Amino acid sequence: PWGDAAETTIDAAESYLRTLKTRGGMAESTVETHRQRLKKYVRVYRRLHGRDDLLEPLTDASVRVREIERALTVLDTFDEDLGTDRSKLEYLRVTQDWYDFLIRRGRAEYNPLQGATDEFGWERQEPDNSSLTAEQVRRIYEAADTSEQRLITIALAGWGLRPGEVAALHASQISLDTNDPHLEFDDDRKNGPGTVALLVGLEALADRLDELAEDEDWNGYIFPSDRAVSGHIHVDTVRRRFKRAAENASVTV
C-alpha cells in the first residue's frame, strides 16, 4: 500500500510509473520494482512527518529548505534500515527521478533530493562481470533445448541485440542479401547503430524463416506469440530462455 498517502501523491507516482513503461520501454517487472521503492519512500516520509501530500511543499518556494531536510531525513532512515549501499542508491535514484518527472510536468518547482548523493558516503560496488568466452557461447548454444532457443542465443551473443530487440524482431527488418546480410532498426535505437551486420547464424535464421513461413497465420515476428497483444514474446521470455540454456550448459552469465 501507499500508506494512506493523498490521492494527488498516488496519482503523480502512478503517472511516473506509467511513463516508464509506455515511453521508456521499461519491462513490467522493473516498473514494479520502481513502484515498491517509491511506495517505501512515501510510507516512510508520511510516518516521519505526518504529511499525506508530498506534492504540496514542492510548489511553495518558502518551505524549500524545510522540505529538503524532510526528504533527507527519509534517507537517514534508509541508511539505517537498508543493508547495502547499492540498495540505498537504488532507492535514492528512483525517488530523484520521480521528483525530476514532477518538475518536467510542472507539478514541482524543485527536487528536494537534488545532490543528495553527496550527503552520504554510499558507494556502489559494481560486480566484476567478465564477458562470455567463445567456448561458453558455444556450450550455451549446444545446450539450448529448441531451434528457437538456439536462435535467441545467436541474436544475443552473436549479433549483440538487446533482449527487447530480440523479442520484437520482425521479418521486415531482415535482409539476407548475399553481399550484405543485416538487420534494420529505427533511427531511435538505443545504444547502437541502425544497421546490424549478420556475421554469424545466417543458416539458423534462414531455417527459422522457412519454418515460420509454413504457417499461413504467421504475423511476421521471428518469435511470435498467440497470447501476447504485441504479437511477439515478452522480453522476460527471452531472458528466461537464454538463462535456461546457460544453466543447462553450466555457464554463469
Side-chain angles (χ1 to χ4, degrees):
W2 286 99
D4 296 325
E7 284 299 322
T8 52
T9 299
I10 298 175
D11 289 344
E14 290 292 351
S15 177
Y16 160 70
L17 295 166
R18 283 194 300 272
T19 300
L20 293 180
K21 181 178 180 180
T22 58
R23 292 179 176 166
M26 189 174 287
E28 181 62 42
S29 58
T30 308
V31 173
E32 184 57 31
T33 299
H34 279 59
R35 178 178 284 108
Q36 297 307 320
R37 287 169 178 161
L38 200 52
K39 279 183 177 181
K40 183 177 179 67
Y41 178 84
V42 170
R43 290 198 304 268
V44 173
Y45 180 101
R46 184 178 181 279
R47 175 170 58 83
L48 291 175
H49 307 303
R51 303 178 65 95
D52 299 339
D53 190 349
L54 275 67
L55 271 61
E56 182 182 0
L58 302 177
T59 58
D60 185 353
S62 67
V63 300
R64 178 170 182 166
V65 174
R66 280 177 290 173
E67 182 61 15
I68 290 173
E69 288 301 322
R70 282 192 285 262
L72 290 175
T73 301
V74 177
L75 297 188
D76 287 333
T77 301
F78 287 174
D79 194 28
E80 296 175 0
D81 293 349
L82 300 177
T84 66
D85 285 3
R86 183 182 181 87
S87 180
K88 297 168 188 176
L89 286 167
E90 289 295 338
Y91 275 87
L92 172 57
R93 181 177 63 84
V94 169
T95 313
Q96 284 177 323
D97 287 350
W98 178 52
Y99 280 128
D100 285 339
F101 169 83
L102 296 177
I103 294 174
R104 294 195 301 273
R105 290 296 186 274
R107 305 183 71 171
E109 295 183 4
Y110 62 92
N111 185 337
L113 289 178
Q114 182 177 357
T117 308
D118 298 332
E119 296 274 338
F120 298 87
W122 300 338
E123 296 182 357
R124 184 187 298 273
Q125 298 297 324
E126 297 291 350
D128 184 18
N129 291 331
S130 57
S131 299
L132 293 174
T133 65
E135 177 58 30
Q136 287 175 319
V137 173
R138 186 183 303 278
R139 284 163 52 192
I140 294 173
Y141 179 85
E142 293 175 347
D145 296 327
T146 63
S147 60
E148 184 181 56
Q149 199 174 49
R150 286 191 287 274
L151 188 58
I152 287 176
T153 302
I154 292 171
L156 292 173
W159 303 338
L161 301 187
R162 300 165 70 228
E165 293 171 339
V166 176
L169 189 61
H170 195 274
S172 62
Q173 298 173 257
I174 301 171
S175 172
L176 293 181
D177 183 278
T178 305
N179 297 321
D180 180 29
H182 64 273
L183 302 177
E184 288 284 350
F185 289 91
D186 294 336
D187 293 337
D188 60 352
R189 182 187 180 218
K190 296 180 180 178
N191 303 324
T195 301
V196 175
L198 298 178
L199 304 179
V200 295
L202 289 177
E203 184 176 347
L205 178 57
D207 289 345
R208 177 65 176 167
L209 290 171
D210 290 341
E211 176 186 345
L212 292 168
E214 294 177 359
D215 185 353
E216 295 181 356
D217 297 324
W218 179 41
N219 60 11
Y221 287 108
I222 306 305
F223 303 104
S225 172
D226 295 332
R227 293 177 295 177
V229 176
S230 64
H232 57 75
I233 62 176
H234 194 273
V235 60
D236 289 340
T237 303
V238 173
R239 295 190 180 102
R240 282 196 303 271
R241 291 179 181 177
F242 184 72
K243 181 179 180 181
R244 184 160 59 245
E247 290 174 345
N248 291 341
S250 299
V251 174
T252 300
V253 179

